[in-house]
Amino acid sequence: MILSLTAYAVIPIYTILFVSGTNWLTSNLSVIGNWPDRQVSFFLLGLIIGLYYHCILKRLLSHLPHHLWESVLLHTALILLFLAVSTPYLPAQVPLQSFLHVLFAFSASILILICLYLTLWRLSSLSQDIRTRMRPYRRSLVSITIVSAILLFIAGIVSSALEIFFILSTTILLQRLYQQFTCNFLNSVYNKSITSYFYEKRR
């Protein structure tokens, strides 16, 4: 319930309110987040998004027998995200810190994207049935990647439009994936348990 509320309400509403009154194609979260009146809000936004990614992906990865690399990618991305929202982006005043901020933020996004691809691929490999059910999610992730690239090309920068689209689309994708996969996984385990029970009874 809390995860659903976070994905469908808290993150979208908070993100849209955060960028209110700005041009989505000529500005971005980093610029807005370093305005004196929005610095705390920027940090909280990064914290909420990071915690959501951590909670949902850890639960999905728990269904995999081995998920070392996915966990490493996830935790590295979250550390970089925390560093990004903690490092000021003021190019005219602190150019080195501003460069590091961009490096942290961009790297965190790329690592999250790679982690999502690996997680979907690993979940899909569990069985043919799950692979079939995961197909819409794999296609959706590819679509998210393509649209993000288009938004980057249109604006020429990592704009608010790109960041908002990426954040909202990936959180909703993860929430729907978690809900469906967990339900299917538990049903599969339940059905196998029932089958095994009746098989043992017949013996």
Side-chain angles (χ1 to χ4, degrees):
M1 179 62 182
I2 295 177
L3 288 174
S4 296
L5 183 63
T6 302
Y8 296 133
V10 175
I11 292 178
I13 293 173
Y14 196 118
T15 306
I16 298 300
L17 289 176
F18 179 76
V19 299
S20 61
T22 66
N23 189 314
W24 290 16
L25 292 177
T26 60
S27 186
N28 56 46
L29 301 186
S30 297
V31 173
I32 301 168
N34 278 275
W35 294 352
D37 61 334
R38 301 199 188 185
Q39 289 177 349
V40 175
S41 299
F42 182 52
F43 182 83
L44 289 176
L45 177 62
L47 186 64
I48 293 170
I49 294 170
L51 286 174
Y52 176 80
Y53 281 139
H54 180 266
C55 290
I56 207 81
L57 280 168
K58 286 294 289 183
R59 295 189 183 193
L60 285 169
L61 291 175
S62 67
H63 296 291
L64 299 175
H66 306 288
H67 51 267
L68 174 62
W69 287 110
E70 291 82 357
S71 294
V72 169
L73 285 170
L74 173 61
H75 289 98
T76 303
L78 296 180
I79 291 172
L80 290 171
L81 177 61
F82 176 78
L83 290 174
V85 297
S86 303
T87 305
Y89 179 73
L90 299 166
Q93 301 174 29
V94 284
L96 177 58
Q97 289 177 307
S98 299
F99 170 77
L100 290 175
H101 170 91
V102 173
L103 182 64
F104 294 150
F106 185 76
S107 299
S109 302
I110 295 299
L111 290 182
I112 283 291
L113 190 61
I114 295 173
C115 184
L116 291 176
Y117 273 107
L118 285 177
T119 301
L120 275 174
W121 177 70
R122 292 287 308 283
L123 290 174
S124 299
S125 66
L126 291 176
S127 72
Q128 184 58 45
D129 178 60
I130 293 178
R131 180 177 180 80
T132 302
R133 293 177 181 273
M134 292 297 104
R135 185 177 297 128
Y137 298 96
R138 295 195 300 271
R139 291 176 176 173
S140 295
L141 188 57
V142 172
S143 298
I144 289 171
T145 306
I146 293 172
V147 173
S148 296
I150 292 173
L151 289 172
L152 178 61
F153 176 78
I154 291 174
I157 62 170
V158 177
S159 62
S160 294
L162 169 55
E163 293 173 316
I164 293 168
F165 170 76
F166 183 82
I167 292 169
L168 269 56
S169 60
T170 53
T171 52
I172 292 174
L173 172 69
L174 276 172
Q175 185 61 36
R176 293 178 64 85
L177 172 64
Y178 172 71
Q179 290 173 335
Q180 177 170 331
F181 180 80
T182 303
C183 180
N184 291 334
F185 182 83
L186 292 177
N187 285 339
S188 176
V189 172
Y190 175 76
N191 291 334
K192 287 181 180 178
S193 299
I194 293 296
T195 302
S196 300
Y197 172 77
F198 282 110
Y199 178 74
E200 292 296 329
K201 289 281 287 185
R202 289 177 182 176
R203 291 182 62 186

